[in-house]
Amino acid sequence: FLLALGFIYLVLAAQFESFIDPLIIMLTVPLSMAGALLALQLTGNTLNIYSQIGLITLVGLITKHGILLVEFSNQLRDQGRSIRDAVIEAAVLRLRPILMTTGAMVLGAIPLARAVGAGAESRQAIGWVIVGGLLLGTLLTLFVVPTAYTLLARTKRGERAREIERAEQLTHGAQVAGE
């Protein structure tokens, strides 16, 4: 499980070209784990191989929420917005996709959680991990990720975007003057 988390962190670090942004995204994992373990406790299930498979699935699902918020905030900051304005707008604009993803996955996992018959115990464990982890994880993610981004994000991102824009204007101006 730790190896899976490490691999996800490295992939995110390569994607975002940063070590801070994946850290902010990975903050969603313990939040969702708390919901998953609470759901297992409330339903009387145990932490077994099936619930661990559900936990790995949950990590992939819940990190998507953090990726949506951080990526959109980075795009807005590249346009010159302040950290605070970028985070607020990203949280507002990405709320609906996050809630729709969570709703679809929770509704899809409820039949697993409510399964009966032969082998139902294994399906129930996976289902309750996904349902509990996504519900609590999403609720907490909507508050924790924007807060963590505000506190940890690089302040020079907007300056870098302006430098790139100036360089492009100079290059474009030199091309126009050369013609």
Side-chain angles (χ1 to χ4, degrees), residues 8 21 45 81 97 148 163:
I8 291 170
D21 290 347
N45 285 309
R81 306 255 176 96
E163 288 174 9

Side-chain angles (χ1 to χ4, degrees), residues 33-98:
M33 294 292 169
L37 295 176
L38 182 64
L40 287 176
Q41 171 99 22
L42 292 176
T43 59
N45 285 309
T46 62
L47 188 61
N48 54 36
I49 189 70
Y50 298 108
S51 56
Q52 290 175 9
I53 291 170
L55 287 174
I56 292 173
T57 304
L58 180 63
V59 169
L61 294 170
I62 201 70
T63 54
K64 182 182 184 304
H65 300 334
I67 291 169
L68 280 173
L69 290 170
V70 170
E71 178 64 26
F72 200 69
S73 295
N74 285 344
Q75 289 173 1
L76 292 173
R77 289 190 54 215
D78 285 342
Q79 294 173 3
R81 306 255 176 96
S82 69
I83 292 175
R84 186 174 186 275
D85 292 340
V87 167
I88 290 171
E89 188 170 345
V92 168
L93 292 176
R94 292 295 164 213
L95 178 64
R96 187 182 314 162
I98 288 171

Side-chain angles (χ1 to χ4, degrees), residues 8-26 63-75 78 149 154 157 160:
I8 291 170
Y9 178 81
L10 292 175
V11 169
L12 289 172
Q15 178 185 351
F16 284 97
E17 298 175 356
S18 165
F19 290 114
I20 298 297
D21 290 347
L23 182 66
I24 295 168
I25 292 167
M26 295 299 284
T63 54
K64 182 182 184 304
H65 300 334
I67 291 169
L68 280 173
L69 290 170
V70 170
E71 178 64 26
F72 200 69
S73 295
N74 285 344
Q75 289 173 1
D78 285 342
Y149 187 87
R154 295 179 296 191
R157 187 173 198 91
R160 191 177 98 212

